[in-house]
Amino acid sequence: MIGKHYVLTGGTSGLGQSLLELLLKKQVHVTVLTRNPQKIEGKYDTSLLTVLKCDLQSQEQILNLKNQFDDKSIDGIIYSSGLGYFKSIEQHTTEEMLETYNLNVVNFNTLLATLQPFFSMFPTIVGIGSQSAFLTQAYAAHYGASKAAFNQVLNALRIEKPNYHVLTVNTGPIATPFHAKADPSLAFAQKYKSIMLDPNELAHKIIKGMLSTKQEINEPKWMHLFLRIYQIAPRFVEKHFTFLFKNKM
Ligand SMILES: NC(=O)c1ccc[n+]([C@@H]2O[C@H](COP(=O)([O-])OP(=O)(O)OC[C@H]3O[C@@H](n4cnc5c(N)ncnc54)[C@H](OP(=O)(O)O)[C@@H]3O)[C@@H](O)[C@H]2O)c1
């Protein structure tokens, strides 16, 4: 990885921040796209890091990035930005729904299309998805739906672009600031504290997956196995084990 150049989103917090720190340790050039450059500027004393201000809710700001990479080839995108609101379907405002789909799916696509002209021959695309893409979840409907869509976009990209290495990371709960934003009461975070993944450990696995050209990382494995079994008869399981699908509140 030494000397490669990745564009990273979500690098100011949680899993993205862990990934950033590992990449810099590995002597990788990283361009972080962030709406809050002050969160990161001056934090890392290295010439390997470039910070560009970009609100990923803004199509215009993403499209303007094409003027920032003139002479810099890009070896890949790591898309770790994401958000969700843990609330019922009717409690979601239109703005919250649009924010969720725009950040988690639509604007990933815009970013990809904007940066594609600068890609090296065999770029790596890492998408941080979620195990919630694989199950019905009350009180997190739009988050799960956006991650399911993201998953399918990445799967299609893998087929459309055989020269790309596309790595989808389907993760269960991680101990990050994500939860305070998704549900300020922290009800879910408190309840599932004991099964939360460590962002640094997950970041290590992702770097390993990038190096070994893995196509999918599913963590924790027991959760993914359960969700595979659930897929055999989802409506039956939802009907008879409803409590499992109402854990976001
Ligand atoms: N934590 C979990 O339990 C969990 C579980 C499954 C999947 N995931 C997924 O894992 C990924 C990483 O999440 P995390 O847990 O590390 O969450 P996090 O700590 O909340 O980090 C989210 C990142 O996204 C950035 N972001 C949000 N809105 C943005 C915008 N409009 N423009 C630019 N950047 C924006 C945030 O930037 P700011 O610093 O500016 O806010 C932050 O760096 C997400 O895709 C999330 O959906 C998380």
Side-chain angles (χ1 to χ4, degrees), residues 110-179:
T110 309
L111 181 65
L112 180 73
T114 305
L115 299 187
Q116 261 166 343
F118 307 101
F119 280 176
S120 54
M121 192 77 88
F122 300 103
T124 298
I125 310 297
V126 181
I128 310 300
S130 170
Q131 289 292 334
S132 65
F134 305 123
L135 83 162
T136 303
Q137 280 193 111
Y139 309 109
H142 295 297
Y143 180 63
S146 70
K147 290 296 186 181
F150 185 48
N151 212 286
Q152 292 303 350
V153 169
L154 292 171
N155 288 340
L157 182 66
R158 192 177 292 117
I159 294 171
E160 288 178 14
K161 296 282 185 191
N163 59 320
Y164 286 20
H165 165 217
V166 179
L167 170 60
T168 311
V169 180
N170 300 308
T171 169
I174 323 167
T176 69
F178 173 91
H179 299 281

Side-chain angles (χ1 to χ4, degrees), residues 3-24:
K4 293 231 175 198
H5 172 217
Y6 293 101
V7 172
L8 170 70
T9 73
T12 52
S13 177
L15 180 61
Q17 187 178 318
S18 297
L19 283 164
L20 172 62
E21 289 168 7
L22 276 180
L23 289 167
L24 293 177

Side-chain angles (χ1 to χ4, degrees), residues 99-117:
E99 262 182 53
T100 306
Y101 291 105
N102 280 338
L103 183 66
N104 294 0
V105 201
V106 180
N107 290 352
F108 161 74
N109 206 106
T110 309
L111 181 65
L112 180 73
T114 305
L115 299 187
Q116 261 166 343

